[in-house]
Amino acid sequence: MENHKLVPFFLLLFILLLPTSRCTEIKAQQDKDEPFVGVNIGTDVSNLLRPADLVAFLQLQKITHVRLYDADAQILKALAKTKIRVIVSVPNNQLLAIGSSNATAATWIGRNVAAYYPDTLITGIAVGDEVLTTIPSSAPLLMPAIESLYSALVAANLHTQIKISTPSSASIILDPFPPSQAFFNQSLTPVITQLLQFLSRTQSPLMMNLYPYYVFMQNKGVVPLDNSLFKPLTPSKEMVDPNTLLHYTNVLDAMVDSVYFSMKNLNVTDVVVLVTETGWPSRGDSKEPYATIDNADTYNSNLIKHVFDRSGTPLHPEVTSSVYIYELFNEDLRSPPVSEANWGLFYGNTTPVYLLHVSGSGTFLANDTTNQTYCIATDGIDAKTLQTALDWACGPGRANCSEIQPGQSCYQPNNVKNHASYAFDSYYQKEGKSPGSCDFKGAAMITTTDPSHGNCIFPGRAQSILFPFNLPRRFFPNPLETLSSLAKMSSWTCSMCTFVNPPSQRSYCEVCLTAQSQPAIVSSSTTPSAKPKWSCALCTFLNPYCSTVCEICGNRASASLLSTLELNDDDLGEAQLGSSVGSVFLPLRACGNAKKGNGENPVGGGDGTGCSGELKGVVLRRGYGNLGNGERQDMGDGGSGKFDAGGNKGLAAVLQPCINKRKEREDSGVDGSGSNAGGSCGFRAVKAANQAVQVKSLATAGETHLSSECKTWKFLSYNVWFREDLEMHKRMKALGDLIELHSPDVMCFQEVTPSFYGIFHKSSWWKRYCCSIPDETAFPGAYFCMQLSKLPVKSYSCKPFHNSIMGRELCIAEVEVQPDMTMVVGTSHLESPCPAPPTWDQMFSKERVAQAKEAVRFLEKNQNVIFCGDMNWDDKLDGPFPLLDGWADAWTELRPGEVGWTYDTKSNKMLSGNRTLQKRLDRFVCKLKDFKISEIEMIGKDAIPGLTYIKEKRVKGQVKELVLPVLPSDHYGMLLTISPSDSTY
């Protein structure tokens, strides 16, 4: 989904009232299947449904077509035997591997398609997503990847059942209005021509992501809102193409026809359009006032009706394009703007965001979005298993089981199944219908049939009466504001079940729904010298305020409870929190609200106070306050004190936004000098000035440090290998172990993907470093370089290489090694050799050499420089590395005569079966005035214990499976140690 740039001035001509007429229609490929409405399933959702629950929900909603942004194995397994048709996707970061190797493409098809078909009805493969506009440097890889995958489908005899295409954004079309004047961006014509020829030959659709919302937002005052929302129009408001006299009653039809006219200009008339994304956001910030629930409801409801009306478009009334709504769930982990997290039809807990009005338009979502769900005992489960589950629900699960006691309304019929159903539903509703809360090891099931009977009202019906929308707390519009308002209220203990309810505006108990009466106030401070404590919800032990995990049972403290305690520096006495016997945990969204404390439960954020002598403390990183959990952090003199780093104290005002895993919406705006002309550094926004401010705040808080006594400093360079499908988490865990072992002062990573970034972000070592990539600019698609420093950073910046077709750049960190002594650390991933069809000779040596020279010349002006990274250097092809006078290659300086191969298919057993390649691809080159090179070594050469993977290799016409070890990466890491020169002191 991209902010499509459209040319608005043609619209002035386009919205004219002209006599109705229709030109001769071209012959188009007939859509043999009935048009359908499907949904996109994004996974940036906190507490995403388990695959089995997800598929059950799809069936409940009568959704028959889905599109995935990857090829998730668990979801594909769960979809087996369901008649739900699915499009799987090749992520953008896999294009290079698949486009460069037919064997890799065949393996991908085998593992992600053939392994599931026909049990799982895979109908299409989307190769990349908006590649031509998001990562245009990868455009040359698109068709090789598509052709390789198609060849693999042919080999598997699946090419007639499964179609291959690539989704593109509307911005590949220029002058889209009026439609008859539309044409493809001429700079993309070579690739688009090949694509259309392939689609025509294979009878596959052209996938397009089309958003009338963006057309309206970028042309307000020209495009009426009613036209964008499919609302009925008077003849005076219909859009008329002055060239064809075709009347358009909505923007989407005009966008679809602009695609058909663009194809016609390239003499392609037999390819149909499949709309792989369209939708309308239900919420936005102040800059998006039309992102509302009413508009989203209107657009999607009318869209569904429009498709099922089978009216086609004015140009092709005989062909109705099927559409996939973006999207099924609100992806609450998405980065700003606000609208990015609000495109879904449902919240992550399956509660509808709004009620679609689609009755009479087929069965898709027809009046089913408001279905209340209940949790009941599964038929056929033995009484012993049910009794065990019932005991857990009414005991540790804290379900309200009072109504199934003798004499109460739900005691009859007196059998274990009836009682278990009530207890299960009580627990399920109490947990906000969260994923996994209706399982009980298979003893429970979700149903839409109300199990209430007679005077026995099940909790699900009771909750629908009390609060029909039943939104879980993690979906509050602004959790930080919510916490602030809660802090002004007080906790209260339920008189029925003794549960301590958190501060809220609700007047009923969250567990048993009993009305609040004479609420007991839990005081936040009892005496001036008192130290507040919190009571563990599980074991009731009173824990010190500064400890966020129970010292007895390990249960986490309630973020809402902690936030009500307003402490001064001396508020550290020994008082208790009233008569609390427990507390409730307020689950904040993992993104944009609070840094996760221990990788399990989101934590409400730090209060700005460091607690000397306690196990927990406040970690201030990059000017933001996050509640740390793990090692002791002594802040300030004596380890206790308050800080206001980056203007934030107490609960963090701006916290960690999540990684955008799919789409790039930033426009490249690089000026000739490599500075940030348009808010971005080449294809990624990194503002060095802002970084410098943040890091200086960091230094004052003591997170990064200078050490005048330090005699050596370590620098790590590591290509982490973008392969996400090969034990990604375990490889990155092994990399983290190396970081903990060697504790480098500065690290330079290459081939970092958003998924890797997310893993790093949760690692224990992360908080000790300042990262060059702010969370809000970590971007999807192609991999990128990243720098991290424990030393104070003056600035981070980047300089794109203007000859790069792969988006490569020089990343620069200016760090303070000693007081008033600066080191400039540069890293890059120079242009990669890319032997691939049709010529197999695309080695890019000329570009690589020019980039190396440009980088060295740019860094030359500094007195102390380290330049490292994956240089992709081939001494035979590229010649000697272009060093200037005063520069040295650290490896050849300290280890003359040693080959130093950092990519070695013989010593790295993970690469066994690959063609032999032994190169010193990764290097450290230095120019040092005040320091000297002390040591250099390779790390990451050992296999990860107990971990293997299977690689298929063709030997003498037969495919054999090799069981190979797994290492942290396909490259070895390089660790450089420097020390002060003899003349420094």
Side-chain angles (χ1 to χ4, degrees):
M1 191 172 53
E2 180 185 49
N3 290 338
H4 309 292
K5 293 192 174 297
L6 303 169
V7 181
F9 70 92
F10 283 104
L11 292 166
L12 297 174
L13 294 176
F14 182 40
I15 305 173
L16 299 173
L17 180 62
L18 296 175
T20 302
S21 176
R22 186 160 294 181
C23 66
T24 304
E25 299 169 348
I26 63 172
K27 181 179 180 180
Q29 176 186 343
Q30 299 293 321
D31 191 354
K32 299 178 182 179
D33 298 325
E34 293 287 329
F36 60 82
V37 177
V39 293
N40 289 274
I41 302 179
T43 56
D44 289 342
V45 181
S46 58
N47 299 320
L48 183 69
L49 291 177
R50 296 182 312 166
D53 294 335
L54 172 62
V55 171
F57 178 68
L58 293 173
Q59 292 176 310
L60 174 68
Q61 295 299 332
K62 301 180 177 62
I63 295 173
T64 58
H65 292 77
V66 298
R67 175 187 170 215
L68 306 179
Y69 287 96
D70 51 19
D72 186 278
Q74 297 304 315
I75 295 179
L76 291 175
K77 288 179 182 177
L79 286 168
K81 310 290 187 181
T82 63
K83 298 183 180 180
I84 297 176
R85 290 165 171 76
V86 57
I87 292 178
V88 296
S89 300
V90 178
N92 289 348
N93 57 17
Q94 295 182 20
L95 288 178
L96 177 61
I98 292 176
S100 303
S101 169
N102 289 331
T104 302
T107 300
W108 196 95
I109 291 294
R111 291 179 178 175
N112 299 297
V113 177
Y116 306 103
Y117 189 89
D119 287 348
T120 300
L121 297 178
I122 300 173
T123 59
I125 301 174
V127 183
D129 190 23
E130 301 186 353
V131 175
L132 298 179
T133 50
T134 300
I135 45 173
S137 60
S138 297
L141 300 171
L142 185 58
M143 286 312 300
I146 289 175
E147 291 285 4
S148 296
L149 290 168
Y150 181 74
S151 297
L153 282 180
V154 172
N157 197 29
L158 297 175
H159 59 291
T160 58
Q161 301 98 315
I162 300 172
K163 302 301 181 182
I164 298 181
S165 188
T166 181
S168 297
S169 74
S171 57
I172 67 171
I173 296 175
L174 303 183
D175 289 351
F177 300 106
S180 61
Q181 294 183 188
F183 59 94
F184 289 115
N185 186 327
Q186 293 182 350
S187 65
L188 302 174
T189 298
V191 177
I192 292 176
T193 299
Q194 294 179 56
L195 172 64
L196 293 178
Q197 290 173 349
F198 169 84
L199 298 178
S200 176
R201 172 165 52 91
T202 61
Q203 295 185 340
S204 302
L206 177 61
M207 296 178 174
M208 295 295 300
N209 298 341
L210 304 177
Y211 288 94
Y213 171 73
Y214 288 124
V215 175
F216 169 74
M217 289 297 293
Q218 295 172 11
N219 298 278
K220 284 183 291 187
V222 179
V223 175
L225 179 62
D226 288 353
N227 297 58
S228 303
L229 296 176
F230 293 93
K231 287 188 174 181
L233 302 175
T234 61
S236 62
K237 289 187 177 181
E238 289 183 356
M239 301 178 290
V240 181
D241 188 322
N243 300 313
T244 62
L245 302 184
L246 295 176
H247 284 235
Y248 289 88
T249 59
N250 65 82
V251 173
L252 183 65
D253 280 353
M255 297 180 78
V256 171
D257 275 357
S258 72
V259 180
Y260 280 122
F261 276 110
S262 298
M263 288 193 288
K264 181 183 178 183
N265 288 334
L266 295 180
N267 297 318
V268 176
T269 59
D270 58 351
V271 174
V272 298
V273 174
L274 173 63
V275 181
T276 40
E277 285 183 17
T278 190
W280 198 284
S282 60
R283 181 168 170 252
D285 54 29
S286 59
K287 297 180 180 179
E288 297 181 280
Y290 296 93
T292 66
I293 284 181
D294 286 343
N295 286 342
D297 187 354
T298 300
Y299 179 83
N300 284 321
S301 297
N302 289 338
L303 169 70
I304 294 169
K305 294 176 183 178
H306 184 67
V307 172
F308 289 138
D309 283 348
R310 302 192 65 185
S311 56
T313 67
L315 181 63
H316 288 302
E318 78 283 4
V319 178
T320 299
S321 293
S322 297
V323 303
Y324 288 82
I325 294 177
Y326 185 85
E327 56 187 330
L328 182 61
F329 297 122
N330 270 353
E331 294 187 88
D332 58 315
L333 304 183
R334 299 278 288 179
S335 302
V338 173
S339 61
E340 280 301 295
N342 292 277
W343 289 83
L345 300 173
F346 298 88
Y347 294 101
N349 73 334
T350 71
T351 304
V353 178
Y354 45 83
L355 173 63
L356 287 169
H357 298 82
V358 292
S359 58
S361 298
T363 59
F364 177 83
L365 287 173
N367 292 330
D368 286 338
T369 59
T370 55
N371 277 341
Q372 175 66 30
T373 57
Y374 307 84
C375 182
I376 61 173
T378 303
D379 292 335
I381 303 298
D382 62 273
K384 183 178 179 181
T385 300
L386 284 177
Q387 186 65 54
T388 301
L390 170 61
D391 292 342
W392 186 93
C394 295
R398 302 191 70 172
N400 176 22
C401 299
S402 60
E403 292 299 311
I404 54 176
Q405 302 304 314
Q408 299 302 313
S409 59
C410 293
Y411 179 72
Q412 297 293 343
N414 181 18
N415 59 63
V416 66
K417 182 178 180 182
N418 175 65
H419 291 178
S421 291
Y422 187 93
F424 292 168
D425 193 52
S426 174
Y427 179 80
Y428 176 63
Q429 305 297 337
K430 176 178 75 74
E431 294 296 309
K433 305 180 184 179
S434 62
S437 61
C438 184
D439 184 6
F440 296 93
K441 295 187 176 180
M445 61 177 286
I446 295 175
T447 180
T448 57
T449 302
D450 186 357
S452 302
H453 52 89
N455 294 327
C456 176
I457 305 301
F458 266 56
R461 182 195 288 185
Q463 288 206 22
S464 66
I465 296 172
L466 285 170
F467 34 98
F469 297 107
N470 193 29
L471 299 184
R473 284 184 296 274
R474 68 173 176 270
F475 296 112
F476 285 153
N478 190 334
L480 294 177
E481 292 180 3
T482 302
L483 280 178
S484 176
S485 62
L486 291 181
K488 300 176 183 178
M489 305 177 194
S490 59
S491 301
W492 59 280
T493 303
C494 177
S495 59
M496 174 65 71
C497 67
T498 73
F499 181 75
V500 178
N501 289 269
S504 85
Q505 297 177 346
R506 291 176 179 172
S507 59
Y508 49 85
C509 175
E510 293 190 356
V511 173
C512 67
L513 305 180
T514 300
Q516 178 182 4
S517 62
Q518 296 180 342
I521 297 176
V522 179
S523 175
S524 62
S525 61
T526 56
T527 65
S529 61
K531 176 181 178 180
K533 293 187 177 183
W534 58 274
S535 178
C536 175
L538 293 184
C539 68
T540 74
F541 180 77
L542 291 174
N543 293 273
Y545 173 79
C546 288
S547 178
T548 62
V549 176
C550 179
E551 297 180 359
I552 300 299
C553 67
N555 183 47
R556 294 199 64 81
S558 163
S560 59
L561 180 61
L562 293 179
S563 68
T564 67
L565 307 178
E566 298 179 0
L567 296 182
N568 297 319
D569 289 344
D570 56 352
D571 284 346
L572 300 173
E574 291 295 331
Q576 298 179 358
L577 289 178
S579 58
S580 299
V581 295
S583 178
V584 65
F585 176 70
L586 180 60
L588 296 178
R589 294 189 304 174
C591 272
N593 307 311
K595 180 77 163 63
K596 289 190 177 180
N598 66 352
E600 297 177 359
N601 294 324
V603 183
D607 72 342
T609 305
C611 299
S612 177
E614 297 292 337
L615 294 176
K616 313 297 179 280
V618 174
V619 179
L620 295 179
R621 185 173 66 78
R622 292 172 50 230
Y624 302 153
N626 295 306
L627 185 59
N629 179 30
E631 61 183 327
R632 170 178 172 175
Q633 297 289 334
D634 294 328
M635 298 294 184
D637 297 336
S640 179
K642 291 200 171 185
F643 301 94
D644 194 2
N648 295 308
K649 180 172 68 174
L651 194 62
V654 183
L655 294 183
Q656 312 299 329
C658 270
I659 300 162
N660 184 320
K661 294 182 179 177
R662 290 198 301 279
K663 304 177 188 306
E664 172 62 70
R665 293 173 179 79
E666 298 174 13
D667 302 316
S668 299
V670 183
D671 61 15
S673 64
S675 63
N676 181 11
S680 63
C681 246
F683 57 92
R684 182 174 76 251
V686 178
K687 294 186 178 180
N690 291 344
Q691 290 293 304
V693 171
Q694 291 174 341
V695 177
K696 287 178 181 178
S697 298
L698 232 174
T700 63
E703 172 70 4
T704 56
H705 60 278
L706 288 172
S707 175
S708 59
E709 299 178 357
C710 181
K711 298 298 183 182
T712 62
W713 298 268
K714 294 181 179 180
F715 298 80
L716 173 65
S717 177
Y718 217 133
N719 181 319
V720 298
W721 199 21
F722 65 88
R723 281 281 299 273
E724 295 181 351
D725 59 327
L726 203 161
E727 300 293 352
M728 172 178 65
H729 287 275
K730 293 179 180 179
R731 289 198 298 111
M732 293 305 102
K733 171 62 168 61
L735 175 59
D737 292 341
L738 292 172
I739 293 171
E740 296 284 7
L741 175 65
H742 296 284
S743 190
D745 295 279
V746 178
M747 298 188 292
C748 299
F749 293 152
Q750 303 86 44
E751 293 194 15
V752 178
T753 71
S755 296
F756 290 173
Y757 184 97
I759 295 172
F760 293 157
H761 202 287
K762 298 176 183 178
S763 301
S764 59
W765 52 264
W766 175 269
K767 61 181 176 289
R768 299 195 290 271
Y769 290 86
C770 175
C771 180
S772 63
I773 308 295
D775 302 334
E776 60 268 22
T777 54
F779 62 97
Y783 47 68
F784 51 90
C785 294
M786 183 170 77
Q787 295 175 287
L788 302 105
S789 175
K790 288 197 294 187
L791 303 174
V793 182
K794 291 186 174 181
S795 68
Y796 282 126
S797 60
C798 59
K799 182 180 187 302
F801 294 123
H802 298 295
N803 71 337
S804 176
I805 67 169
M806 301 179 184
R808 303 297 165 85
E809 60 190 352
L810 172 64
C811 300
I812 306 161
E814 187 179 6
V815 300
E816 197 169 359
V817 180
Q818 293 279 25
D820 301 322
M821 189 175 294
T822 298
M823 173 75 69
V824 173
V825 183
T827 191
S828 188
H829 186 195
L830 302 185
E831 212 79 353
S832 302
C834 188
T839 59
W840 296 95
D841 61 353
Q842 300 157 132
M843 303 305 291
F844 299 108
S845 175
K846 180 180 178 181
E847 290 81 2
R848 190 162 49 250
V849 172
Q851 291 165 10
K853 291 180 178 179
E854 181 181 349
V856 171
R857 284 196 300 266
F858 184 82
L859 298 171
E860 165 69 16
K861 61 180 178 291
N862 302 285
Q863 291 186 336
N864 297 296
V865 183
I866 294 175
F867 179 34
C868 61
D870 179 3
M871 310 298 184
N872 278 310
W873 205 259
D874 186 334
D875 291 298
K876 293 183 179 179
L877 182 65
D878 304 331
F881 199 86
L883 298 179
L884 302 176
D885 292 342
W887 287 70
D889 185 316
W891 186 267
T892 58
E893 185 83 3
L894 296 183
R895 297 174 179 263
E898 296 186 32
V899 292
W901 291 328
T902 58
Y903 191 98
D904 188 347
T905 55
K906 291 188 176 181
S907 67
N908 188 340
K909 300 302 181 183
M910 181 172 65
L911 304 178
S912 298
N914 290 10
R915 65 182 182 89
T916 301
L917 182 61
Q918 296 172 303
K919 300 290 182 183
R920 190 160 70 93
L921 301 181
D922 306 82
R923 308 193 177 200
F924 271 98
V925 295
C926 311
K927 175 194 173 187
L928 302 174
K929 176 179 179 294
D930 302 305
F931 304 90
K932 62 182 179 182
I933 302 170
S934 300
E935 185 180 355
I936 189 168
E937 60 179 314
M938 290 187 202
I939 66 171
K941 299 179 70 174
D942 296 327
I944 301 173
L947 189 61
T948 60
Y949 81 106
I950 296 177
K951 179 180 178 64
E952 295 179 348
K953 183 179 181 180
R954 184 175 294 276
V955 179
K956 295 182 180 179
Q958 295 183 343
V959 176
K960 294 187 176 181
E961 291 188 346
L962 306 178
V963 180
L964 303 175
V966 178
L967 277 70
S969 176
D970 59 342
H971 289 240
Y972 298 141
M974 298 288 293
L975 185 66
L976 174 74
T977 303
I978 66 170
S979 58
S981 65
D982 296 335
S983 61
T984 302
Y985 296 109

